[in-house]
Each structure stands twice: as structure tokens, then as C-alpha cells.
Amino acid sequence: MLEAITGGLVGALAALLGTLLIVRDSRRARESAAEERAAAALLTQLRRVRLDPDFLRDEGAALEFLEECMTSVLAFRDREVRNRLRTSVGMISTAYPIARDLSAQNHVEPVYGLAFHDIWRCLEARLDRRRLPRPRKAWTEASTNLHSWLGEARDEFDAIEEAWDAQQLEMNERLRGL
């Protein structure tokens, strides 16, 4: 009789363990599928920016872009992934207004590139169930203070442009002397 009870308890425990494992695995599969759908939706939004970056000049379109992206970002379970994605999406959606204030509209594309690259790296790592890669130095600098980063990019470009103009002027003077 004791053997029958023991056998029944062992069977019940095995069934319970099996059920718990199935529930855990199905929950992970649902989360994984939701993250894959969110990644696809986020990449669709990024493609829209790559094809027509000027649409973000409109404040309403930039807000809509941000809302659509954040809906996707919030589907990720890992807090660090959400933070990195949210930061990159924020860089994309606020780059143009900041650049406009700094008269640095020509420097928005590099911000987009930094953000796109980080988003792709994060999504790839998350979907492969790997640790997030360390952010690139330029991304960290831009995400910490986008206003300052764009101002420095503008100043750097202006210095290069001035050096080019001086070089051209010097060359023209030499050519006149021939």
C-alpha cells in the first residue's frame, strides 16, 4: 500500500514538474515571439527614416515616429535593452530640432547612423539571446549630450571648411603667379 502511495506521489511530482517546464517554455516562446514582432516593427520605422529622413523635420511626424517606436521598445522584457533602444530612438526623434537650433542641420545624418547602428546591434544580441554589446564611444557621447555633440560636429565641419577655403585661396594665388 505504501509503495502505491509513494509511486503515486512520484508520478504526481513528475507530472507537476513536466507541467511547470511546459508552462515556462511556452511563456518564453510567447515572449520571444513578441520581441521578434517588436523588432520587426521597430526596423520598419527605421527603414522609413532611412528612405526619407526629412519627414522627421515635421514635429507631428517626429512625435508619431517616437510613439510607434516606443510601442515596439516596450515589448522587450530586458530593462537594459529597453533603455538602449529608447535612448537611440530618442536621439533619432530629437536630432533635427536640436540641429535646427544650432544651425547644424547637415549633421543630423551621423546621429541617425549612430542610433541605427546601436539599435541593430542591440536587436541582434537580444534575438540571439546574447549579452548586449558595449555601446560605441561616439554613441555614448552623443546620447549623453546630443546638443553638445551636434555643436562640436558643426564646429569641426566649419573648421574643415575654412581650412579648405584657405587652401583653395592659396592655390589660386599660386596659379595667378605662374
Side-chain angles (χ1 to χ4, degrees):
M1 174 90 158
L2 187 58
E3 291 174 0
I5 294 174
T6 304
L9 286 175
V10 168
L13 285 175
L16 178 62
L17 180 62
T19 301
L20 290 176
L21 291 174
I22 289 171
V23 168
R24 182 199 66 185
D25 290 346
S26 65
R27 189 187 89 237
R28 284 184 183 169
R30 283 192 311 274
E31 289 172 359
S32 182
E35 286 183 354
E36 287 173 9
R37 286 190 304 275
L42 186 56
L43 290 173
T44 299
Q45 290 299 319
L46 294 180
R47 183 172 190 275
R48 182 176 168 204
V49 174
R50 277 195 341 265
L51 294 176
D52 180 22
D54 291 337
F55 90 91
L56 289 174
R57 291 177 184 226
D58 176 45
E59 288 181 32
L63 182 60
E64 180 184 329
F65 167 80
L66 180 63
E67 290 171 350
E68 290 292 326
C69 289
M70 289 309 295
T71 300
S72 298
V73 167
L74 292 175
F76 288 89
R77 304 280 299 166
D78 185 85
R79 179 175 293 143
E80 188 178 352
V81 172
R82 284 194 312 268
N83 287 340
R84 287 272 293 275
L85 294 175
R86 182 176 55 243
T87 300
S88 289
V89 166
M91 286 169 58
I92 293 168
S93 66
T94 61
Y96 185 77
I98 292 172
R100 185 184 57 231
D101 292 345
L102 295 171
S103 299
Q105 292 92 328
N106 296 338
H107 305 291
V108 171
E109 300 275 335
V111 173
Y112 292 167
L114 286 173
F116 290 169
H117 184 75
D118 194 66
I119 289 171
W120 291 324
R121 290 175 66 209
C122 289
L123 290 178
E124 184 177 356
R126 183 62 184 167
L127 295 176
D128 289 344
R129 299 290 180 226
R130 290 183 288 123
R131 292 182 57 181
L132 282 181
R134 291 180 56 137
R136 293 170 49 197
K137 183 180 178 194
W139 181 89
T140 302
E141 291 170 357
S143 68
T144 302
N145 189 346
L146 189 57
H147 193 275
S148 173
W149 192 87
L150 280 167
E152 288 173 12
R154 182 206 55 216
D155 294 344
E156 215 174 282
F157 181 77
D158 289 347
I160 291 169
E161 197 172 57
E162 287 174 15
W164 172 260
D165 290 343
Q167 187 180 26
Q168 291 301 311
L169 201 75
E170 182 183 320
M171 241 179 175
N172 287 340
E173 291 296 322
R174 284 184 188 172
L175 289 173
R176 281 188 208 143
L178 292 177

